[in-house]
Amino acid sequence: MSIFQMPTNAIKLMTLLFNGVLVSLQIFFLTLLFSLPLGLLTALGRMSSHKWISYPIRLYILIMRGTPLLLQLIFFYFAPFYMLPPGFRFSLPRFTAAIIAFSLNYAAYFAEIYRGGIESIPVGQYEAAAVLGFTRTQTFFKIILPQVVKRILPPISNEVITLVKDTALVQILGISELFRVAKNESSRIFSTTPLFAAGMFYLFLNWIVTKVFEKAEKKLSYYR
Amino acid sequence: MQILKVENLYKSFAGSGEVVTDVSFEINEGEVIAVIGPSGSGKSTLLRCLTLLERINHGTIKVAGETMVETTPQGRVVYASEEQLRKIRLRLGMVFQNFNLFPHFSVMRNITEAPIYVRGLSPAEAREEAEKLLAKIGLTDKADAYPYQLSGGQSQRVAIARALAMKPDILFFDEPTSALDPELTGEVLKVIRQLAAERMTMLVVTHEMAFARDVADRVIFMDKGQVVEEGTAEQIFGGPENERTRNFLRNFNANHKLD
Ligand SMILES: Nc1ncnc2c1ncn2[C@@H]1O[C@H](COP(=O)(O)OP(=O)(O)O)[C@@H](O)[C@H]1O
Ligand SMILES: [Mg+2]
C-alpha cells in the first residue's frame, strides 16, 4: 500500500501528520523562547563568585543533564500533585508541564555552552573596556556577548537539532505531537509509511535549522 | 600641574607575594616617563594598579589632585566612591601590549564606541574626532577595516587612537611594541614620539632603550617591585648611580648586541 497509489489517503495522512508537526513546532519554539534567555541567566549564576548562587545552580545543571528528559517530563507533570500537601495539590496542563520540563532541561545545556563561550573571551577585552570607562553592563552586552554568540553558534546548533527530535518525547504525557500521531496512524492502518513520513518531516525541519544556522554563521563571519 | 602622584604603593598577590613594594613617584603635565626594568619586576602590575585594573594593598594614588585611593593611618585602604572612580577613570588611558582591540567592531567603531557611550558625544561628533585621529596615525584608509585585517603595528596605532579618543589626561603604555615584529615597532614609536612632541602626558613601560633615552623626560628603573633609581634620561643611561641599574643596562646592551 504505497502513498503514490492512493493519493486521497496520502493527503489525509499528510494533513494528520501536519497537525502533529504544528504541536511539535509549538514545543520547539516555546522551549527556545524560554531556555535561551534562561540559559544565559543560569550561566551568569553558575559563574558567580558567590557560592550561595553558583552551588545551587551547579546542582540544577547536574540534575537536568544527569537524568533522562523523559523522567523530567513525568516529574513536572506529576510533581505538583504528589509532592504538595493535600489542599495545595494541583495538576499542570500536560502541555505546560512539557514546556517547563523542556525549558529547564535545555536551559541547563545552553548555560554550559554560554559559559564556555563567555570564558573563552580573553580577559584583555574586559580590561580594555574597563579602562575606556564602559560599565559592566555595557561591557557585557556590547563587547562580550556579541563575540560569545559567534563562538557558540556551532554547539548551539547541535542542541537545537537535538531539540527538534526530542519533541517526540512529550508523547509520554499523551500530547499528540508528530511522532505519536504517526505511531498511532501506523498501528491503525498497519503500515510503517506514517512513521517513515514522520521521519521525513523531522529531517526537513532539521534541514531548515541547519540552513538558518549556516546563514547566521555566515553573517557573523565578517570578523575573526 | 601634577597629573599623577603615587605614594608608598604596595601590591601583593596571593600566589606570588609582594610584587610592588613601596613605590612613590609623580608625573607633571606634559611629562613623559619611561619605566624600565627586567621582566617580572612589577612594571605591568604597577600600571594595572594605576589604571584601576588591580586593587592595591597599601598607598595613595592621586590623579590631577583627586584622590583615587588612600590609606588611613590604621592601614586601611580606602578607594573613592564608584561615581568618583568613574570620573577619575576618564582621565586615564591605557595601551596594552597586545592591543586588545574589539574584533567585532570596525576600526572606526573601535575608536568611536566609548566616546559615544561613555563621554556622551553624538555619533557625528565622535566620527569627526575619530577621523582626525586616524589621519594622525596615518590610517585614514583603514576606517572600515576590521582588526583581523590589520598588521600588529597598525593594530597598536588604532589602540592608541582609541585611547586618545577619550581625551585622557595621561596615557599609560605597557610595552606597546613588545608584541610586534621588529620591523613594525618603528611606526608605533613614531606615533608615541609625535604625542610626546605635542606634550601629551605619558608613562611608558618599554624595553626600547634608545626610544626611552630620546623621548623620556625622566626614567624610572624598577627591579623586584621597587623603584631602584629615578632620574633624567641622561642620568640613567649616561651614568646610573645604582649597581643594579648598571647591571641591568650592561646586560641589556650585551644581549642586544648579540642579536
Ligand atoms: N594576577 C596575578 N596573580 C599572581 N601573580 C601575579 C599576577 N600578576 C602578576 N603576578 C606576578 O607579579 C610579578 C610581576 O609581574 P609583572 O608586573 O607582570 O612584571 P613585569 O611587567 O615587570 O614583567 C611576577 O612574578 C608575576 O608572576
Ligand atoms: Mg609586563
Side-chain angles (χ1 to χ4, degrees), chain A residues 122-135 138 142-144 146-147 221-224, chain B residues 48 51 53 86 89 92-94 96 100-105 113-114 117-118 146 148 162-163 166:
Chain A
V123 66
Q125 293 287 302
Y126 292 90
E127 295 184 343
V131 176
L132 286 169
F134 287 115
T135 63
Q138 284 175 328
K142 282 180 181 301
I143 312 296
I144 306 301
Q147 297 184 57
S221 67
Y222 69 88
Y223 74 93
R224 276 178 222 153
Chain B
R48 295 169 57 80
T51 49
L53 292 173
R86 198 186 309 285
R89 219 178 248 119
L92 313 171
M94 173 86 152
F96 298 86
N100 294 336
L101 292 178
F102 304 129
H104 58 311
F105 288 165
E113 194 77 356
Y117 292 98
V118 180
Y146 282 84
Y148 79 94
R162 180 177 70 173
M166 292 304 285

Side-chain angles (χ1 to χ4, degrees), chain B residues 127-137:
Chain B
R127 236 192 128 78
E128 199 175 313
E129 286 190 8
E131 272 157 11
K132 283 186 201 142
L133 288 168
L134 282 172
K136 187 169 179 164
I137 60 171

Side-chain angles (χ1 to χ4, degrees), chain B residues 13 15-16 19 38-46 54 174-175:
Chain B
F13 289 111
S16 359
V19 168
S39 120
S41 57
K43 306 180 297 297
S44 295
T45 305
L46 174 64
E54 298 283 359
D174 191 0
E175 300 195 28

Side-chain angles (χ1 to χ4, degrees), chain B residues 115-249:
Chain B
I116 293 171
Y117 292 98
V118 180
R119 274 176 65 203
L121 293 194
S122 75
E125 289 169 317
R127 236 192 128 78
E128 199 175 313
E129 286 190 8
E131 272 157 11
K132 283 186 201 142
L133 288 168
L134 282 172
K136 187 169 179 164
I137 60 171
L139 289 177
T140 301
D141 55 327
K142 295 289 182 191
D144 298 320
Y146 282 84
Y148 79 94
Q149 297 165 314
L150 304 177
S151 71
Q154 292 170 334
S155 297
Q156 193 60 297
R157 285 188 276 156
V158 171
I160 294 172
R162 180 177 70 173
L164 287 172
M166 292 304 285
K167 299 221 184 306
D169 290 343
I170 178 168
L171 198 46
F172 297 94
F173 293 80
D174 191 0
E175 300 195 28
T177 58
S178 293
L180 304 179
D181 293 333
E183 72 270 21
L184 299 178
T185 60
E187 61 190 73
V188 172
L189 295 179
K190 194 178 137 208
V191 171
I192 303 175
R193 272 175 213 273
Q194 194 183 333
L195 292 174
E198 295 166 10
R199 311 300 300 153
M200 177 82 207
T201 313
M202 294 186 283
L203 180 80
V204 187
V205 173
T206 186
H207 288 301
E208 299 282 343
M209 295 304 159
F211 167 78
R213 188 170 194 156
D214 281 8
V215 174
D217 299 305
R218 274 186 295 135
V219 177
I220 291 174
F221 171 65
M222 274 184 81
D223 191 19
K224 302 201 175 83
Q226 293 168 314
V227 172
V228 174
E229 193 165 352
E230 178 184 341
T232 63
E234 290 93 88
Q235 280 168 351
I236 299 292
F237 292 108
E241 287 176 1
N242 192 289
E243 182 64 34
R244 277 149 82 185
T245 317
R246 275 202 295 272
N247 276 336
F248 171 73
L249 290 173

